[in-house]
Amino acid sequence: MKKILTAILLVNIFILTAQAQDHRFDPPWNTPPASAVPFTVAGVDNVPDLFGDINNPDLVVFFGGNQFMVIDDLIAAFKKAYPAYKKVFVETLPPGILAKQIEGGSITIGNMRIDLKPDVYTAGKNRIDQTPEWFSRTEVYGKNRLAIMVQKGNPKNIKGLADLGRMDVRISMPNPAWEGIGKRIEEAYVKAGGEALQKVIMETKVKDSSTYLTQIHHRQTPMRILYNQSDAAPVWYTEAFYQEMIGHPVEMIEIPANENIEAISVAGMLKAAPHQQAAKDFMDFMVSAAGKAVYKKYGFITE
């Protein structure tokens, strides 16, 4: 009987330990701002893509989600260069979702509705070019390229994009419906293996669920790799670079130039920006040496 009770106790300890580790890789991966009551509960109350001061901000910026990792350093450097701006609010959601928010005037996350209007919106050039009438000024401030994120040790022996067509490889893939990166990855699939590879990954494997289409790729994909829900994921180079930088057990597989694509990041100042001077100052900062230094630190190409 004693042995049985001991065994039950050990099983319970194992279960509790496993449950305690369920959220060990969860965001926010950035440093939350200080406040009187820090209250982030993993898996319950955790809003990693909203940053800073939501009440009466001096500046509101909507960033394409893949740039979440630069926010701490970028906003700190901006405030140092322009100390008049104390309160900045930033969103780092998928660019297509941000575009819908701009068009519709609001977004609801959980029980929270946000109707702040952005002063600056950043996204890939293709997305910015779809709505030129929104902007009074646009600036190119960086470039990116694709890589493949895999689990530490690369257990599936992924060597390139062609391996993502294997039926034993579970893929995390951005949904092209709202993630600009999705369409660019499809271009890379065609480069690497023709339309046949693109169809296998985006049709055959979607149907059998071995390709998982994400809703918020820059958050879901690292977590799916870290929690062994996916084996490999095409991502922006900077996303894999960042996960390695913060010590998470992932690896980056680089994609050769002849199969890769280049993404151009563009900032647009909204004609309807509520804070016109702040928007102008932030646009100036984005293309300054100080602004580009932050992006370079996180693996972006700034030359």
Side-chain angles (χ1 to χ4, degrees):
M1 186 65 178
K2 187 176 180 179
K3 289 183 178 180
I4 294 174
L5 290 173
T6 300
I8 292 172
L9 179 61
L10 290 172
V11 169
N12 286 335
I13 290 172
F14 175 80
I15 291 171
L16 288 171
T17 302
Q19 289 175 339
Q21 293 177 342
D22 283 347
H23 300 289
R24 64 196 183 279
F25 296 121
D26 282 16
W29 299 313
N30 300 71
T31 303
S35 65
V37 183
F39 188 76
T40 300
V41 182
V44 179
D45 279 311
N46 180 6
V47 189
D49 283 301
L50 305 181
F51 299 79
D53 294 287
I54 200 167
N55 295 313
N56 302 312
D58 301 317
L59 172 71
V60 176
V61 185
F62 288 3
F63 280 95
N66 69 302
Q67 294 168 63
F68 72 89
M69 71 286 292
V70 310
I71 299 303
D72 292 353
D73 289 352
L74 189 72
I75 299 305
F78 171 68
K79 288 181 175 180
K80 182 178 179 180
Y82 296 88
Y85 304 118
K86 306 295 184 186
K87 300 173 71 175
V88 178
F89 177 70
V90 171
E91 294 185 15
T92 56
L93 296 167
I97 300 300
L98 292 174
K100 289 181 179 180
Q101 182 179 353
I102 293 170
E103 289 173 336
S106 62
I107 192 170
T108 298
I109 301 175
N111 296 316
M112 177 174 58
R113 181 176 182 271
I114 301 170
D115 62 4
L116 290 173
K117 305 298 187 289
D119 299 301
V120 175
Y121 168 53
T122 82
K125 184 177 184 300
N126 291 343
R127 172 66 65 176
I128 296 292
D129 286 348
Q130 290 176 33
T131 53
E133 69 278 7
W134 287 2
F135 307 109
S136 58
R137 173 186 174 187
T138 59
E139 296 283 359
V140 173
Y141 61 90
K143 296 179 181 179
N144 215 332
R145 63 283 197 206
L146 297 174
I148 302 171
M149 187 187 299
V150 299
Q151 298 168 15
K152 187 75 172 178
N154 193 10
K156 291 289 185 175
N157 194 29
I158 303 298
K159 296 179 180 177
L161 290 172
D163 288 324
L164 304 192
R166 288 167 27 198
M167 301 313 293
D168 67 316
V169 177
R170 299 168 298 169
I171 301 168
S172 182
M173 172 72 196
N175 194 323
W178 49 72
E179 295 266 25
I181 184 178
K183 296 183 186 301
R184 307 309 308 277
I185 291 170
E186 288 186 301
E187 293 174 24
Y189 287 151
V190 173
K191 284 185 175 185
E195 292 186 3
L197 178 64
Q198 187 268 343
K199 287 182 178 179
V200 165
I201 295 171
M202 297 302 297
E203 295 179 19
T204 305
K205 297 187 69 170
V206 168
K207 288 178 182 177
D208 72 14
S209 299
S210 59
T211 291
Y212 178 86
L213 296 180
T214 64
Q215 293 172 291
I216 184 160
H217 184 62
H218 60 282
R219 298 294 185 185
Q220 284 176 293
T221 283
M223 292 172 70
R224 290 186 65 82
I225 297 294
L226 290 164
Y227 292 126
N228 193 28
Q229 296 170 326
S230 295
D231 302 306
V235 295
W236 291 125
Y237 175 96
T238 50
E239 294 177 42
F241 182 87
Y242 176 72
Q243 293 297 323
E244 289 186 326
M245 176 188 289
I246 62 176
H248 281 168
V250 304
E251 289 184 17
M252 182 199 303
I253 309 300
E254 297 203 31
I255 298 172
N258 64 322
E259 296 178 4
N260 216 321
I261 59 91
E262 181 182 78
I264 299 173
S265 296
V266 178
M269 177 175 167
L270 278 294
K271 290 179 181 177
H275 311 97
Q276 289 282 328
Q277 186 59 49
K280 179 184 180 301
D281 290 341
F282 191 74
M283 292 287 290
D284 290 345
F285 178 75
M286 289 286 285
V287 296
S288 71
K292 289 187 174 183
V294 174
Y295 277 90
K296 186 174 182 179
K297 172 182 174 180
Y298 289 95
F300 288 83
I301 300 167
T302 57
E303 290 80 15

